[in-house]
Amino acid sequence: MSDTTKNITAMANAIRALAMDAVQQANSGHPGAPMGMADMAVALWGRHLRHHPAQPQWADRDRFVLSNGHASMLIYALLHLSGYDLSIDDLKNFRKLHSKTPGHPEVGITPGVETTTGPLGQGITNAVGFALAEKMLAAEFNRDGHTIVNHYTYAFLGDGCLMEGISHEAAALAGAWKLNKLIALYDDNGISIDGQVAPWFIDDTPKRFEAYGWNVIDMIDGHDVDDVDGAIAKAKLSTDKPTLIVCKTSIGKGSPNRANTAKAHGEPLGGDEIKLTREAIGWSHDPFVIPEEVYADWDAKAEGEQLVADWNQRFAAYERAYPELAAEFKRRMAGDLPANFAEVCVQAVAAAHDKAETVASRKASQIALEFFTAALPEMLGGSADLTGSNLTNTKSTPALRFDDEGQVVLSEGKPGRHINYGVREFGMAAIMNGVALHGGYIPYAGTFLTFSDYSRNAIRMAALMKQRVIHVFTHDSIGLGEDGPTHQSIEHAASLRLIPGLDVWRPADTTETAVAWSMALANKNRPSALLLSRQNLPYAPKQDADVITQGGYVLAEPSEVGLKKKAVAVIIATGSEVQLALHAQAELAKAGVPVRVVSMPSTNVFDRQPLDYKKSVLPVGVPRIAVEAGVTDFWWKYGVAAVVGIDSYGESAPAGDLFKHFGFTTQNVVDTVKVALGLAKRR
C-alpha cells in the first residue's frame, strides 16, 4: 500500500515538530509519545484510515482512538495536517482556555476526536465498544449485495493503558466477541513518568493478548512506516480475532538528549533541545510552519470526498432496495427515538399506575423494560454477571452470542441484545461509552449499587462526554439484608449525585420507575443511573404521574390522611423510604400534626426545575426533614432541619431487622419531625 510519491519522513517529522512546538508554547504537555508514534501515525492515517475531514461524522468512517490521551498533540497534528477544521492557530492555543486543543482529547470539542481519553485504559475499552457496535450493526443492517456498515476501529495505546486493570477486562471481552475489525497498535517504548517500566511492568504482553484470543503481530519497528503498514494490512485479513500490533519505538524520537528517557514524557523539551532536535531530524522550518508540500502529502480531503461519495451511492441503492431498513438506520445513527416513543412511555407509566403492584423496584424496572425494549430495537442491555438479580433481560432481548467463525448469532434475523459482561463492571461501563459514542444503540447494563465504585470513572466519563448511557444499579441500600456491609450501599447514592451531568433516579414504586426509564431514554445528551431495591416496595397512590418528571413532587398532603390543615413540616424521601414517610405522616396526623410528603426520585432533575416550582414543593419557612437510607451530609443542601439517615456501614441481618436497628422506623421519623417542630425533646 506504499505511496512512493509521498515524503513519509517529512510527514512524520511534521508531527514531531508540531508536538514539541505546541508543548513548548504551552509550557505544559507530553511531547515524547507523539514524537515516538509519528511514524506509526503516518502508516495508519496516511495509508489505511478511511475518513473525510470535511465530514467528521460520516457514518461508515473508520474510528480512531488515542487511548494514551496524554499524547494529544499527535491527534491534533494529524487532524490539522489531514484537513480537519483545526487551524494552526488552534494548535498554538494548545492547552489554553476555551481552545479546541485541550490537554487531553475531548469529543465534541475537536472535530475528528471520537472519544475523550486521558484516564488510561478507558480509550482502548471505548474502542472495544466501537468495534462491538460496528459488528452488531453490520449483522443487523447489511444485506446481500448491500454493505453499508463496514469499517475498522483503530486504537493507539501505551504501557499505561496496559497496566490499568480495565485493559484486561476489555481485551478479554474483545477476544470472546471475536472483534476482528478492532486493531490496536501498542507503542512499546518502555518508558513512563517514573522512568524505565521494566522494574514494575514485566508482563509478556504478546502472550497475554494471545491468551485473550487476539491475533498478535510482534516485533514491528514502530519507526519503519512500511513495516507498520504491512502489519496493519496483515491485521485486516483477520476474520475472527482482534489484532494487537506491537510497535517497538523510542519515546521522544529525534531528540538527541531526551529520546528514550522519562524527561521526554511529560514536560517540554526546552528551547535548546528543540533546536538540536530540529537539526537532528533535518527540520529547518520555524515553529508552527509546515511546508505546502507536506500539507499536500497529508491532505485527506479529496480521498475522503470520494469515499463518502461511493458510500452515499451504495446507501442510495440500499435505500431503494430496503427503504424501511434505511430509514431505521438513519434514525438510529442520528440518535433519534422512534416516532411512537411518547406513546410507549404513556403505556408503560399507565400500566404501572393501573396495576399498582407491590414489587421490588428492580422488578418494576424489568416490567418497564418489557415495554421499552420491545419498542426500541436500539436498546442494548447487559449485566456484570448479575442478570438474575439486576433483571435487565426481557423477552425482546435474547443473549448476544458469536459463532466459531466470529459471526454474530442472529435471532429472528437480528443480533441478541443482552450482553453477559462477566464480572467486569469497569470494563462494562467504558464499553457502553464506546457503544454510545459509535451510535446506533442505547446501551444499558446492571450491577449492584455498591459496585458502582468499580464503574465510577467510566460513569464520570459518560457525563463528561454527554453520552446517553444508562446504569441499572440494584440492591440499593441496607435493604438487601444478609449480604452485609460489603454489599450494602451507604454513600453511593450521594456520591453519584455529585457527578455533574449524571441524572440519578431512586424510584419509590413502579410508576416512578417507569418514568425514570422514560426520562433516561429521552435524555440524548445525558447519562442516567437508576438505583433500585431488592426488597418489595408498596405502590404509593398518586394523582398525577406527569409531575414525577420534575424529579421531586408533592406525593401526599395532610388532607390525604384526614387533616384539613396547612402542612407545618415537609418530609422528603426517596426510594424505599417513601413508604416510611407516608406511615409517619399518618401517625403524625393522629397527633394533629399536618405534614406534607415529598417524593424526590431524582434530586438532579429537581435541582434543574424553575425556582417557583421548587418553592411550591418545598415551601420557604416550613421545616424539612429528609429520610433516606444513606449518608446524611448530602441532604443539608436543601436546608433541612434534620435527616434520618445512616452514617456508618451496615450489618449482616434480615432487612427488617436492619431498618429497625438503624432507626428507619415510623416512630423514629415521627420523633424526628416533632423535635424539628419543637414539639418534643431529642432523646
Side-chain angles (χ1 to χ4, degrees):
M1 297 183 66
S2 178
D3 186 343
T4 56
T5 65
K6 293 183 178 181
N7 186 337
I8 58 176
T9 299
M11 291 172 72
N13 285 337
I15 295 173
R16 294 187 174 101
L18 288 173
M20 60 186 181
D21 290 343
V23 171
Q24 185 67 29
Q25 178 147 313
N27 196 30
S28 171
H30 302 76
M35 295 171 72
M37 292 189 289
D39 304 295
M40 295 163 56
V42 172
L44 176 59
W45 280 64
R47 298 181 178 178
H48 291 275
L49 195 73
R50 297 169 64 256
H51 64 120
H52 185 16
Q55 293 190 34
Q57 298 303 311
W58 168 44
D60 203 36
R61 68 193 181 278
D62 289 339
R63 269 63 168 180
F64 173 73
V65 176
L66 184 67
S67 188
N68 41 353
H70 56 272
S72 56
M73 269 310 303
L74 175 74
I75 193 168
Y76 296 152
L78 287 165
L79 294 169
H80 168 71
L81 292 167
S82 60
Y84 284 79
D85 182 18
L86 195 69
S87 69
I88 198 70
D89 286 335
D90 290 322
L91 270 58
K92 290 179 181 178
N93 287 328
F94 178 55
R95 291 191 164 219
K96 291 184 180 178
L97 185 66
H98 300 148
S99 76
K100 292 166 70 173
T101 49
H104 292 82
E106 295 185 38
V107 68
I109 300 295
T110 315
V113 169
E114 301 284 3
T115 180
T116 300
T117 55
L120 294 175
Q122 288 198 59
I124 182 62
T125 311
N126 294 163
V128 172
F130 280 116
L132 176 64
E134 189 277 341
K135 190 162 192 168
M136 292 184 65
L137 285 169
E140 187 172 355
F141 285 96
N142 289 347
R143 294 293 184 270
D144 289 343
H146 296 277
T147 300
I148 61 166
V149 181
N150 183 24
H151 54 267
Y152 284 87
T153 299
Y154 298 98
F156 281 9
L157 70 160
D159 292 312
C161 293
L162 293 175
M163 283 187 260
E164 286 285 0
I166 190 175
S167 71
H168 296 260
E169 300 179 25
L173 284 168
W177 295 337
K178 305 178 188 298
L179 300 179
N180 60 298
K181 288 187 177 177
L182 172 62
I183 299 175
L185 287 83
Y186 168 29
D187 176 31
D188 185 11
N189 62 42
I191 297 289
S192 68
I193 291 175
D194 282 353
Q196 291 283 345
V197 301
W200 60 83
F201 184 48
I202 62 169
D203 296 21
D204 188 330
T205 298
K207 287 184 179 178
R208 170 185 155 189
F209 275 75
E210 286 174 0
Y212 290 142
W214 284 55
N215 172 40
V216 176
I217 304 174
D218 196 7
M219 301 301 293
I220 297 299
D221 182 350
H223 300 304
D224 184 330
V225 172
D226 291 334
D227 203 16
V228 178
D229 171 23
I232 296 171
K234 184 178 179 181
K236 289 163 75 173
L237 299 176
S238 175
T239 60
D240 63 348
K241 293 180 180 179
T243 298
L244 179 74
I245 301 173
V246 182
C247 299
K248 298 291 184 179
T249 64
S250 297
I251 193 170
K253 173 71 173 178
S255 171
N257 300 301
R258 294 289 184 88
N260 292 315
T261 71
K263 281 281 189 182
H265 186 282
E267 60 185 72
L269 297 183
D272 292 342
E273 187 65 17
I274 288 176
K275 183 175 182 295
L276 292 173
T277 303
R278 276 183 150 76
E279 293 171 356
I281 65 176
W283 189 264
S284 59
H285 313 289
D286 290 338
F288 297 104
V289 173
I290 305 296
E292 287 304 317
E293 60 268 23
V294 176
Y295 275 124
D297 284 347
W298 268 116
D299 192 348
K301 292 192 292 292
E303 184 178 351
E305 186 70 25
Q306 187 60 53
L307 287 169
V308 173
D310 290 346
W311 185 83
N312 285 341
Q313 186 175 12
R314 295 199 311 274
F315 190 82
Y318 178 81
E319 199 166 23
R320 289 190 295 272
Y322 303 99
E324 292 183 1
L325 276 176
E328 178 73 355
F329 180 79
K330 288 193 289 187
R331 176 188 73 78
R332 285 171 53 176
M333 291 304 293
D336 297 332
L337 295 173
N340 68 336
F341 176 71
E343 180 183 343
V344 174
C345 292
V346 170
Q347 291 172 351
V349 173
H353 180 71
D354 292 343
K355 291 183 179 180
E357 293 178 283
T358 294
V359 294
S361 53
R362 61 171 174 164
K363 181 62 179 177
S365 170
Q366 187 179 47
I367 292 169
L369 278 172
E370 291 289 357
F371 284 91
F372 290 116
T373 56
L376 277 67
E378 60 263 48
M379 289 184 70
L380 180 62
S383 174
D385 201 45
L386 290 167
T387 300
S389 293
N390 301 148
L391 305 182
T392 46
N393 57 329
T394 69
K395 296 174 183 176
S396 302
T397 56
L400 175 66
R401 294 290 184 265
F402 302 86
D403 64 23
D404 291 341
E405 285 71 44
Q407 300 302 307
V408 178
V409 175
L410 301 181
S411 175
E412 297 181 357
K414 296 181 180 180
R417 290 197 285 140
H418 192 271
I419 300 173
N420 299 104
Y421 284 99
V423 188
R424 301 182 180 100
E425 295 88 355
F426 193 5
M428 175 178 74
I431 287 170
M432 287 199 291
N433 289 348
V435 169
L437 286 158
H438 180 281
Y441 293 100
I442 300 174
Y444 71 93
T447 186
F448 290 172
L449 178 56
T450 191
F451 302 144
S452 64
D453 288 334
Y454 289 133
S455 312
R456 186 180 178 85
N457 200 264
I459 299 171
R460 180 181 186 271
M461 294 302 294
L464 179 63
M465 296 188 288
K466 301 179 181 178
Q467 294 301 303
R468 180 168 45 193
V469 176
I470 304 172
H471 292 270
V472 179
F473 293 124
T474 67
H475 296 58
D476 69 341
S477 72
I478 59 172
L480 67 88
E482 292 86 345
D483 277 342
T486 60
H487 285 51
Q488 291 166 4
S489 300
I490 301 298
E491 76 280 18
H492 299 80
S495 67
L496 288 171
R497 289 170 182 145
L498 293 175
I499 297 177
L502 174 70
D503 279 354
V504 179
W505 290 86
R506 188 167 183 251
D509 61 15
T510 52
T511 300
E512 287 191 0
T513 305
V515 170
W517 267 110
S518 69
M519 294 288 285
L521 289 165
N523 277 333
K524 189 175 183 178
N525 300 312
R526 186 182 291 270
S528 300
L530 278 61
L531 282 45
L532 308 170
S533 74
R534 177 198 187 194
Q535 72 275 26
N536 287 345
L537 305 181
Y539 186 78
K542 49 187 67 69
Q543 298 296 318
D544 179 11
D546 289 342
V547 74
I548 300 171
T549 63
Q550 308 302 309
Y553 65 100
V554 178
L555 175 62
E557 292 283 27
S559 59
E560 294 174 55
V561 286
L563 278 184
K564 297 191 180 300
K565 296 180 181 179
K566 188 175 181 180
V568 297
V570 177
I571 303 177
I572 311 167
T574 76
S576 52
E577 289 71 70
V578 168
Q579 283 298 319
L580 187 59
L582 291 171
H583 291 318
Q585 180 196 41
E587 286 300 311
L588 286 162
K590 293 176 183 178
V593 181
V595 170
R596 168 185 287 184
V597 174
V598 167
S599 179
M600 196 177 287
S602 179
T603 61
N604 307 98
V605 174
F606 179 76
D607 289 348
R608 294 199 299 271
Q609 301 310 310
L611 182 60
D612 286 347
Y613 176 77
K614 288 189 285 188
K615 286 182 177 179
S616 73
V617 175
L618 302 176
V620 175
V622 179
R624 306 161 187 173
I625 297 87
V627 184
E628 184 175 57
V631 291
T632 60
D633 277 357
F634 172 83
W635 290 100
W636 298 106
K637 73 172 187 172
Y638 291 108
V640 295
V643 182
V644 177
I646 176 172
D647 288 316
S648 65
Y649 294 110
E651 298 277 356
S652 179
D657 295 344
L658 291 175
F659 280 120
K660 183 177 180 180
H661 174 72
F662 287 107
F664 293 97
T665 64
T666 299
Q667 190 58 53
N668 188 38
V669 176
V670 168
D671 291 344
T672 302
V673 172
K674 287 183 176 180
V675 169
L677 292 173
L679 301 176
K681 293 183 179 180
R682 190 175 303 278
R683 295 179 180 178

